[in-house]
């Protein structure tokens, strides 16, 4: 799978570890920064990754900050993005099955490397269930299109 990944300084270490694991699993991963633990602003990275996913250049995105919350808020401002903050395997699974999430947000300061790996692996293999969930996701996407048109 083609995956865009990004983090701020608080998610940098986890990003590096996760990126390595995803490459080992055979995924094509492009890193949109940051490249050190020097402080940066998470929205800059979130918008970069979210745009890439929204434009169809990558199937999925992964964003990591301290809690995952800031990345999630920012990424969801980009049209076509359904970013999900997941903190365990169950939320990762349901964010795919029910919400068709296309960006996974993780907290580098609140998850262990092992937890983050498991969450990511479940998130990558779980398929959207469609049916009634598709109707609900469509409502969100249609609302977003109406809002953007009235700008
Ligand atoms: C950075 O200190 C921290 O605020 C950021 O990584 C993130 O947790 C924001 O939501």
């Amino acid at each position: 799978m083609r995956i865009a990944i990004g983090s701020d300084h608080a998610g940098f270490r986890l990003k590096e570890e996760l990126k390595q694991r995803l490459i080992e699993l055979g995924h094509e991963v492009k890193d949109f920064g940051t490249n050190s633990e020097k402080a940066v602003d998470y929205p800059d990275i979130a918008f970069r990754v979210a745009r890439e996913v929204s434009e169809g250049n990558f199937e999925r995105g992964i964003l990591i900050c301290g809690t995952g919350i800031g990345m999630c808020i920012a990424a969801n401002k980009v049209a076509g993005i359904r970013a999900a903050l997941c903190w365990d395997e169950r939320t990762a699974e349901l964010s795919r099955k029910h919400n068709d999430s296309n960006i996974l947000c993780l907290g580098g300061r609140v998850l262990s490397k092992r937890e983050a790996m498991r969450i990511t692996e479940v998130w990558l293999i779980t398929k959207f269930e469609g049916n009634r969930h598709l109707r609900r996701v469509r409502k969100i996407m249609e609302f977003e299109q109406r809002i953007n048109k009235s700008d």
Side-chain angles (χ1 to χ4, degrees):
M1 196 181 286
R2 277 175 61 73
I3 301 168
I5 197 166
S7 77
D8 71 355
H9 51 291
F12 171 71
R13 272 197 204 179
L14 181 58
K15 169 172 69 66
E16 294 302 302
E17 291 165 342
L18 216 49
K19 188 172 66 178
Q20 214 36 57
R21 177 74 185 130
L22 292 172
I23 291 166
E24 280 165 20
L25 288 172
H27 296 287
E28 199 182 315
V29 185
K30 184 159 177 196
D31 187 346
F32 288 86
T34 187
N35 302 316
S36 74
E37 289 182 287
K38 183 169 171 282
V40 292
D41 297 335
Y42 62 82
D44 298 335
I45 311 286
F47 295 144
R48 225 174 275 164
V49 167
R51 279 223 169 99
E52 292 285 341
V53 174
S54 157
E55 287 167 10
N57 301 327
F58 294 86
E59 292 163 79
R60 305 271 189 89
I62 299 175
L63 286 167
I64 310 167
C65 61
T67 57
I69 295 171
M71 286 293 197
C72 197
I73 293 170
N76 276 314
K77 301 292 177 195
V78 176
I81 294 305
R82 291 177 300 280
L85 174 62
C86 299
W87 57 90
D88 58 15
E89 291 172 46
R90 185 78 175 130
T91 48
E93 182 193 348
L94 289 173
S95 85
R96 287 290 310 136
K97 282 186 172 171
H98 290 191
N99 314 113
D100 198 16
S101 59
N102 50 13
I103 291 191
L104 171 66
C105 299
L106 298 170
R109 287 178 176 159
V110 295
L111 294 171
S112 69
K113 176 184 166 187
R114 189 182 148 79
E115 287 170 327
M117 298 285 181
R118 284 300 303 143
I119 291 169
T120 305
E121 285 174 22
V122 167
W123 185 75
L124 287 172
I125 61 169
T126 306
K127 295 202 171 6
F128 180 47
E129 277 181 356
N131 301 314
R132 67 186 188 281
H133 304 297
L134 177 60
R135 183 180 72 239
R136 293 161 187 167
V137 168
R138 274 197 183 134
K139 286 190 178 184
I140 301 170
M141 296 298 114
E142 283 163 11
F143 177 83
E144 185 177 73
Q145 278 172 5
R146 280 201 304 275
I147 293 285
N148 288 341
K149 265 187 206 144
S150 64
D151 275 354

